[in-house]
Amino acid sequence: GCPVLPRTAVAKRRWTSSLCPMWDANIGPGCADSPGVSHLPRISPLLWVGNEIAPSVGSFDVVVSTVPPQSCRTGARQPELTTHAIMFADGQGSETAAGVAFAKRCILEGAECVAAAVAAGKSVLVHCAWGQNRSCAICCAFAVLHRSMSANEAIDYVRERNIAERSYAGQQPPGGAMHNRVFREIIRELERERDAEAEETAETAEEAAAREAAAGTRHGT
């Protein structure tokens, strides 16, 4: 299950650069652009992905954090904005075997947190430091496992939304959303596992139907 932390209510507010005098909007690194979020309506109208200041700029029912949120005004940590803490590192594609396994577990845990929030009709933000790899990987995993998207479709979509709604230094390839090759492969592995499970379930159902038919034939004779 997800580690649920108490959350201090955040007043509803409109996203504007004036809310964050510490930073000029859309200038600087991806951890600082404001509001620092991308909406992912094709995956779910209730889902956003963002950077570490996004929780302090917007208001969401559920905030899944892979790093502590930071205030857009002061840069101070604001852990009270987190509702679900799933902390893991982004090795930028240099993860060890143990790191890959741990990242996969965390990505799966995050996807289940998103699924529960969306099923409950709650708005949900998934964020990391820059809103590129960890947070996008969780959103892609949710898309693959709960929205029947292919891995490549989900990856391409979060990249598209990142470019469309945000602007920061390092955003373009070879950087940008889902540039961590290890995380991309985790999402593709989840798709393969999903499809293998579906095929196994279908085969089991066919075998059961065949047994039933055979039993009916014997009973009829």
Side-chain angles (χ1 to χ4, degrees):
C2 303
V4 181
L5 305 178
R7 180 184 183 216
T8 299
V10 182
K12 295 288 183 182
R13 64 191 89 158
R14 184 169 60 91
W15 284 324
T16 66
S17 60
S18 63
L19 290 170
C20 293
M22 182 181 175
W23 308 105
D24 289 330
N26 303 328
I27 296 174
C31 57
D33 68 303
S34 174
V37 294
S38 302
H39 190 201
L40 304 175
R42 272 187 56 206
I43 299 176
S44 170
L46 295 170
L47 181 59
W48 283 260
V49 62
N51 63 15
E52 63 192 10
I53 67 169
S56 72
V57 181
S59 182
F60 304 90
D61 298 318
V62 172
V63 175
V64 179
S65 298
T66 67
V67 298
Q70 293 194 15
S71 167
C72 67
R73 295 181 180 277
T74 66
R77 289 188 174 187
Q78 291 187 295
E80 69 275 8
L81 298 181
T82 296
T83 62
H84 299 75
I86 306 174
M87 305 294 178
F88 64 108
D90 175 7
Q92 303 288 313
S94 64
E95 284 81 0
T96 63
V100 173
F102 183 69
K104 183 178 179 180
R105 289 197 301 271
C106 290
I107 289 167
L108 283 169
E109 183 179 358
E112 293 310 307
C113 290
V114 172
V118 169
K122 296 179 178 180
S123 60
V124 55
L125 168 70
V126 184
H127 82 92
C128 54
W130 282 47
Q132 297 191 130
N133 286 323
R134 285 166 287 190
S135 54
C136 283
I138 287 172
C139 294
C140 286
F142 170 74
V144 167
L145 298 176
H146 296 275
R147 289 294 186 266
S148 301
M149 292 178 75
S150 72
N152 287 342
E153 182 184 7
I155 291 167
D156 288 346
Y157 180 61
V158 298
R159 285 173 166 169
E160 171 194 316
R161 299 311 302 158
N162 176 276
I163 294 293
E165 298 194 26
R166 297 179 59 194
S167 179
Y168 55 87
Q171 183 182 26
Q172 299 293 333
M178 290 299 289
H179 68 266
N180 184 325
R181 60 179 179 78
V182 169
F183 289 2
R184 293 197 303 271
E185 181 53 34
I186 287 173
I187 301 306
R188 292 176 180 131
E189 183 178 0
L190 293 178
E191 180 187 16
R192 292 192 294 269
E193 291 171 354
R194 178 201 68 188
D195 291 348
E197 183 178 349
E199 184 176 346
E200 183 178 347
T201 300
E203 289 174 356
T204 301
E206 288 177 5
E207 290 168 1
R211 286 194 299 270
E212 271 190 32
T217 301
R218 287 195 299 272
H219 181 72
T221 58

